[in-house]
Amino acid sequence: MTQKKTTVKKRKISKIHWPTVILILSLVLIAIPTVAIGKILYDAFAATGTPLFGKRYEMDLDPAITDAQLVDIDNKISAEALVDDVSITLISASLRISVDVSDEITLEQLTTLVTTLYSQVVTVLPPETYFKMNETSKMYDLEIHIYNNLELKDEDSYKYLIFVLNSIMEEPLIQLVSDPKNPEFVQELYDRINGVEEPADDETDGG
C-alpha cells in the first residue's frame, strides 16, 4: 500500500517595508493640517464681504447706525450739485462714503462741497452720538472720499480728497490726496469744517 506524503506549505512571513510605512505616515501627518488650513481658507473665502463681529462690539456701537439712516444720507448727498454718484458702506465700525463728483470741479467748489457733505451726514448722525467714543463704548469711524475721476490721476485736473473722523480723534483728518503739497487748501478745509454748525431740529426734520 502506497502511503501519500502530505506536503505542508509553509507561509512566507512577509517583512514590513518600513520606508513605505514611514512615507504613508508622513503623508497622513502632512494631510491633516493641510485639510484644516484649506477648510479655514474656504470658509474665509465664502464669508468674503460679510463682517465677523463675534463679541468685539458687544458693548460698543450704541446707538447703532440703521439702514434707514444710510438711505437718508444717500438721498441728501445724491441731491447735491456736482455729485454724480454716491456709494455708502458700513462694515464693522467704519462708515465709508465715496462720492464721485463732476470732472470739472474746482478746488474752491471742492472746499465748499466737503463741508456741505459733512454737514449733511451730521444732520442724520450727530457726531457726538455716533462718532465720539464715550466712557463705556467705542463708536463709529467716518470716512468721506471725494474724487472727480479716478482715470485722471495722472493729470492736473485730478482731485481726490479724504475726510476722516475716528471716534478717538478730537479733530478730523483732511488730506487732499491728489495734491498733498497744498497745506493752505487743507487748512481752509479745517477752518470751514470747524465753522460748520449743526442745523436746528426743525431744519433736520425738514430733510
Side-chain angles (χ1 to χ4, degrees), residues 95-99 110 114-115 117-118 142-148 150 158-166 169 171-180 185-186 189-190 193:
L95 174 61
R96 170 180 281 197
I97 303 173
S98 299
V99 183
L110 187 61
V114 68
T115 57
L117 297 186
Y118 176 64
L142 172 65
E143 292 182 21
I144 303 177
H145 295 247
I146 309 175
Y147 48 86
N148 59 347
L150 299 179
Y158 176 58
K159 296 175 184 65
Y160 191 146
L161 181 141
I162 301 177
F163 173 103
V164 178
L165 180 61
N166 291 333
M169 294 169 58
E171 298 292 338
L173 173 65
I174 302 171
Q175 183 178 6
L176 184 62
V177 180
S178 55
D179 187 8
F185 176 79
V186 174
L189 290 179
Y190 276 117
I193 294 295

Side-chain angles (χ1 to χ4, degrees), residues 115-116 118-119 122 191-198:
T115 57
T116 301
Y118 176 64
S119 67
V122 300
D191 294 340
R192 283 177 176 261
I193 294 295
N194 292 331
V196 172
E197 295 182 1
E198 294 185 34

Side-chain angles (χ1 to χ4, degrees), residues 81-84 100-111 113 146-150 152 155-160:
L82 301 175
V83 172
D84 293 336
D100 186 353
V101 298
S102 171
D103 292 358
E104 291 75 29
I105 192 170
T106 65
L107 284 178
E108 183 178 358
Q109 291 172 321
L110 187 61
T111 304
L113 183 60
I146 309 175
Y147 48 86
N148 59 347
N149 189 333
L150 299 179
L152 300 175
E155 300 182 19
D156 293 337
S157 58
Y158 176 58
K159 296 175 184 65
Y160 191 146

